[in-house]
Amino acid sequence: GGGEVVTASEFGTFLKRFGPLRLALSKACSSLFMDGVMVDWFHGTVSRNDATAILRDQPLGAFLIRFSETQPDNLTLMYNQKPNSSPRNCLLYNLDDSYGLAKNPRPDERFPSIQSFVHRNGSRLTHPVGSQLAQFCQKEADDERAAALRENRGGADDAYGVFDSSAFGGLRDREMEVERERESEREREREKE
């Protein structure tokens, strides 16, 4: 690694986008990674003007998701909704246990991850626009896998593998299961009293 350090402010922004803390890693991974690879439609910190330019010559239904410039605690969906018009911008709010297009959406308008939002709206979001960020992450992952394979050729005792972010996908489910078990145990204790 490059030895980069995440500042407290950057970590706070991460938690606002993907938190609460107990769910943040699993929400970030389930939102932005599929099978250990970053989704291609996520563009990170691309400006609104740059995102508009990226979508300019794309067909109806072309979309990308980026961090909002004006509301950095949120993400923004940009998509081509109508011919010959600017892309539509929609904020995606982190609602602690889900995401939504409003701060207080109906239960059927809540999504456990950004990916589930994209999937459920697949009839309108038909053309994901790939990002340089996703390409960079894919190249880095490929390079790390190749290096790990080269290193492992020399010794079979190496019990460590390449980091796979897809391992976090099931964490949220397990955390929720543990919380349900704890709540059931608390109810049993209350019944005993």
Side-chain angles (χ1 to χ4, degrees), residues 14 40 45 63 66 81 106 109 121:
F14 171 79
D40 59 349
T45 55
F63 74 96
R66 62 185 179 83
Q81 182 182 26
R106 296 186 325 244
E109 294 175 337
N121 290 282

Side-chain angles (χ1 to χ4, degrees), residues 96-115:
D96 287 341
D97 64 341
S98 59
Y99 290 92
L101 291 172
K103 290 184 179 179
N104 296 305
R106 296 186 325 244
D108 65 326
E109 294 175 337
R110 291 174 163 262
F111 305 91
S113 70
I114 303 297
Q115 274 194 75

Side-chain angles (χ1 to χ4, degrees), residues 1-75:
E4 295 180 28
V5 175
V6 175
T7 66
S9 174
E10 291 168 331
F11 187 67
T13 300
F14 171 79
L15 288 178
K16 288 176 183 173
R17 291 172 177 161
F18 299 105
L21 179 61
R22 66 183 173 75
L23 301 176
L25 284 177
S26 61
K27 279 178 68 178
C29 288
S30 66
S31 287
L32 304 178
F33 291 86
M34 182 180 298
D35 299 325
V37 178
M38 180 175 279
V39 292
D40 59 349
W41 41 256
F42 180 65
H43 286 246
T45 55
V46 171
S47 73
R48 183 180 191 147
N49 289 339
D50 288 345
T52 299
I54 291 167
L55 289 170
R56 182 170 292 122
D57 295 323
Q58 298 292 326
L60 292 181
F63 74 96
L64 60 85
I65 293 180
R66 62 185 179 83
F67 293 130
S68 173
E69 276 182 299
T70 57
Q71 296 187 36
D73 297 346
N74 298 309
L75 290 99

Side-chain angles (χ1 to χ4, degrees), residues 63-142:
F63 74 96
L64 60 85
I65 293 180
R66 62 185 179 83
F67 293 130
S68 173
E69 276 182 299
T70 57
Q71 296 187 36
D73 297 346
N74 298 309
L75 290 99
T76 299
L77 162 69
M78 288 185 75
Y79 70 105
N80 288 340
Q81 182 182 26
K82 297 177 184 174
N84 304 317
S85 66
S86 295
R88 177 135 189 228
N89 287 280
C90 303
L91 282 175
L92 293 167
Y93 295 94
N94 177 6
L95 307 170
D96 287 341
D97 64 341
S98 59
Y99 290 92
L101 291 172
K103 290 184 179 179
N104 296 305
R106 296 186 325 244
D108 65 326
E109 294 175 337
R110 291 174 163 262
F111 305 91
S113 70
I114 303 297
Q115 274 194 75
S116 63
F117 167 81
V118 168
H119 181 71
R120 185 142 6 126
N121 290 282
S123 62
R124 287 186 284 172
L125 306 176
T126 54
H127 296 87
V129 177
S131 71
Q132 291 180 344
L133 175 62
Q135 290 173 3
F136 172 80
C137 290
Q138 181 62 54
K139 182 185 178 326
E140 191 164 291
D142 291 345

Side-chain angles (χ1 to χ4, degrees), residues 140-167:
E140 191 164 291
D142 291 345
D143 291 348
E144 286 179 13
R145 281 189 198 99
L149 286 172
R150 283 191 303 275
E151 287 177 23
N152 284 337
R153 282 190 199 133
D157 336 325
D158 189 2
Y160 297 98
V162 176
F163 175 75
D164 181 4
S165 61
S166 65

